Amino acid sequence: GEDVEQSLFLSVREGDSSVINCTYTDSSSTYLYWYKQEPGAGLQLLTYIFSNMDMKQDQRLTVLLNKKDKHLSLRIADTQTGDSAIYFCAESPLAGYNKLIFGAGTRLAVHP
Amino acid sequence: NAGVTQTPKFQVLKTGQSMTLQCAQDMNHEYMSWYRQDPGMGLRLIHYSVGAGITDQGEVPNGYNVSRSTTEDFPLRLLSAAPSQTSVYFCASSAQAGGPNEQFFGPGTRLTVL
């Protein structure tokens, strides 16, 4: 079946790097996504990676994909207080292209 | 361009009452969906639509109805509210069936059923 798991909480010091991890079960997933949710708001797409890629970099964000282990990570360099939010990992299975399967979300707290 | 809008932002219902959560998008997106968000569980898909006149069930459809008479609107109906439906509801839309599926989310409706 389809399942996405991620740890629920991460605390980092301002200026450090944050690494948020995610595991998924559907090996047919075509794209994997990271969404960000700020307090009281809907989700916003941060970045995505195609399943035949190992890494994608976008400014302070680095996404790593280990397809063999079905492991996805999001690294945020030079983490700022404005990065405090909930980060959701999501996959879109091949069988249901427009469907997204979300993890439970990782709450990132950035402290001075 | 307002994106995806949802009304109301907050709602309190008594058990057994009915109501409709409204969702509209002005991006001419074909695909629309409803999710519910519960603590520690991420977002779960309730119903979705791939175009006007076409709807289908998601992961947790029981207790909810949808219809899609226009491209822009995708209302979610609770026929007889239950406390288990207390949640935050998000509507989302996306444009295309090929390539990365960027879904645009509304701000959410926080529903409490007493």
Side-chain angles (χ1 to χ4, degrees):
Chain A
E2 304 152 346
D3 196 16
V4 178
E5 293 190 358
Q6 42 183 138
S7 53
L8 294 184
F9 189 74
L10 176 66
S11 177
V12 299
R13 190 188 303 267
E14 192 174 11
D16 287 351
S17 292
S18 309
V19 179
I20 303 171
N21 294 301
C22 167
T23 57
Y24 61 97
T25 56
D26 192 333
S27 57
S28 73
S29 292
T30 52
Y31 288 92
L32 294 129
Y33 306 85
W34 286 103
Y35 278 80
K36 178 182 180 182
Q37 184 182 33
E38 296 184 349
L43 279 70
Q44 188 172 20
L45 181 66
L46 258 188
T47 187
Y48 64 89
I49 188 167
F50 188 46
S51 57
N52 70 352
M53 297 170 64
D54 298 324
M55 184 181 87
K56 180 178 179 182
Q57 187 142 7
D58 184 1
Q59 299 182 328
R60 292 191 297 123
L61 305 178
T62 303
V63 179
L64 295 177
L65 175 61
N66 181 328
K67 202 170 178 184
K68 174 176 167 289
D69 294 338
K70 297 182 191 146
H71 182 268
L72 183 73
S73 68
L74 173 70
R75 179 178 180 268
I76 306 173
D78 187 24
T79 312
Q80 302 298 308
T81 54
D83 295 322
S84 295
I86 302 177
Y87 292 81
F88 290 90
C89 170
E91 61 173 346
S92 64
L94 187 63
Y97 170 74
N98 272 314
K99 297 180 188 178
L100 288 180
I101 310 297
F102 285 89
T106 299
R107 183 178 296 275
L108 175 65
V110 183
H111 56 89
Chain B
N1 217 354
V4 180
T5 56
Q6 291 184 237
T7 55
K9 285 188 189 282
F10 302 94
Q11 183 70 52
V12 178
L13 291 178
K14 293 182 180 176
T15 297
Q17 286 185 314
S18 63
M19 80 159 294
T20 299
L21 280 62
Q22 302 291 344
C23 173
Q25 52 91 10
D26 60 1
M27 297 173 281
N28 203 31
H29 285 171
E30 288 298 316
Y31 185 83
M32 296 185 74
S33 52
W34 277 102
Y35 294 89
R36 60 178 287 173
Q37 182 180 27
D38 300 295
M41 296 187 74
L43 278 76
R44 293 182 291 168
L45 183 64
I46 304 171
H47 284 286
Y48 65 98
S49 168
V50 299
I54 306 168
T55 63
D56 205 348
Q57 296 181 351
E59 184 186 357
V60 288
N62 292 341
Y64 307 95
N65 277 356
V66 292
S67 59
R68 184 96 180 269
S69 55
T70 66
T71 299
E72 294 77 22
D73 301 297
F74 190 44
L76 178 72
R77 280 183 287 278
L78 282 72
L79 299 176
S80 177
S84 61
Q85 294 178 304
T86 294
S87 188
V88 181
Y89 291 84
F90 289 100
C91 179
S93 72
S94 63
Q96 59 187 5
N101 174 17
E102 178 174 7
Q103 294 206 12
F104 293 83
F105 284 81
T109 294
R110 186 174 293 274
L111 175 68
T112 301
V113 183
L114 303 174

